[in-house]
Amino acid sequence: MTPESTTDSGHAPDLMDKLVSLCKRRGFIFQSSEIYGGVGSVYDYGPLGIELKNNIQQVWWRDMVFRHNNIVGLDAGILMNPEVWVASGHVGAFTDPLVECRNCHRRFRVDELPEIEAENPTDQQCPVCGTTGEFTDPRQFNLMFKTFMGPVEEESATVYLRPETAQGIFVNFKNVQESARQKVPFGIAQVGKAFRNEITPGNFIFRTREFEQMEMQFFVKPGTEDEWFETWKERRLDWARSLGISNERLRLQKHGSDELAHYCKDASDIEYQFPFGWQEFEGIHNRTDYDLRSHQEHSGKKLEYFDQPANERYTPYVVETSIGLSRALLVVLADAYDEEEVENSTRVVLRLKPSLAPIQAAVFPLVKKDGMPEIAEKLAEDLRGKFNIFYDAAGSIGRRYRRQDETGTPFCITVDGQTGEDQMVTVRNRDTLDQTRVPLSQVSQYLHEAIHATDPHA
Ligand code: GAP
């Protein structure tokens, strides 16, 4: 993209509109229940979106669980005993102050309207309808979704859709530590759905009401938590870079004391420079022993660790890393989107890291005759299982290349008239546009090496 056509962040000024349109057109992301007019800030992931999401999740899981012998996985239920959310502080404190304009009935979080927060919100002008003095007094709004368990809809049957996956980890601390025979320091990692009744969701999949989190709670000896907090900030920043995200669009931001969540003594966000400004991408939290201690008190069950060599018993402290999977997907898409002029037309290309691309290679017969489709179909069949392969015989070869560029396919393999004679195919590189002749028998190895070259862990 040329510098004059970009914003400070280097993104195209209308990037979000372009992404929303591309995501729908190419089957990455659809609005939920679209045929009924949608539902507020919930999204469905289409054939390409689910592949990209799965790839990001797998990269996270490999990095967290496979590469650390002291981090193990968990998959806890979404519905939990409601007492969990009392102990965690979410029933009492997971709230946002909200004001409503009596004229247009739009609701705002007080903290996203700085000019309102500064003075008496009730005297201010509504940024949507312009009416002055019609705001309600701020009231606390709890972000947890409630439902009922069992056949009776009464207060005692209330359960919550979890607003974070972390609590499933805390309540299983003892189960996991003992069954997996882990010694402090060790971590528990989890990926799963979370739900928040956000007052102002928005910016496409940036802030939604249903989303997935990838969280890891690292249990450490009290007194070592600050050192571990620093270590995890660095590790997580390195991981973000390993996704291929531009370093200049990533930064660490420390929370001010007035911004800390109720369970934190310290926190930093990894922020990404989105087209709509610097915003949180991942949170790293120094959670002390707040959660384990609180669950001990409320459940009456000990959640301590016995350090045998030191003959010492303590409640571990926790350093948490918490990232939204769907938010990571938005970062990856926004960072990969590019446009360039090629042969007098605009080429839209997603420069996704090959190991993250939803389709790793497309196989084309140049034309639908002279035995080319048969060879191409067989090649595609041979490659399937090792790579996610897309076969396409429709339209001109130029159009087929462009379609794959838009979905981030790093390699396009074309069977042409020559292939029947020399058993070679042309492999076109999405980024360089170079075309290389590769023997049919070596295409699989070629792809493996090319993907591996950009990601040694793929
Ligand atoms: N367990 C700690 C926790 O949940 P958080 O800062 O509220 O901390 C962590 O959320 C991460 O979850 C955020 O950095 C973001 O990536 C993601 N996230 C939070 N709310 C979200 C929402 N409404 N939509 C999408 N992702 C969200």
Side-chain angles (χ1 to χ4, degrees), residues 164 196 198 206 208 211 213 215 280-281 320 322 324:
E164 62 170 10
R196 295 185 187 177
E198 300 280 4
F206 174 78
T208 51
F211 56 101
Q213 286 188 313
E215 296 200 301
E280 175 178 351
F281 174 23
E320 168 186 70
S322 174

Side-chain angles (χ1 to χ4, degrees), residues 94 163-166 196 198 205-213 215 217 263 269 280-283 285 287 320 322-327:
F94 194 55
E164 62 170 10
T165 60
R196 295 185 187 177
E198 300 280 4
I205 56 168
F206 174 78
R207 183 176 289 112
T208 51
R209 293 197 168 104
E210 177 178 338
F211 56 101
E212 272 162 283
Q213 286 188 313
E215 296 200 301
Q217 312 297 322
Y263 48 76
D269 289 339
E280 175 178 351
F281 174 23
E282 166 156 18
H285 307 130
R287 285 184 87 126
E320 168 186 70
S322 174
I323 183 168
L325 175 52
S326 35
R327 194 169 291 183

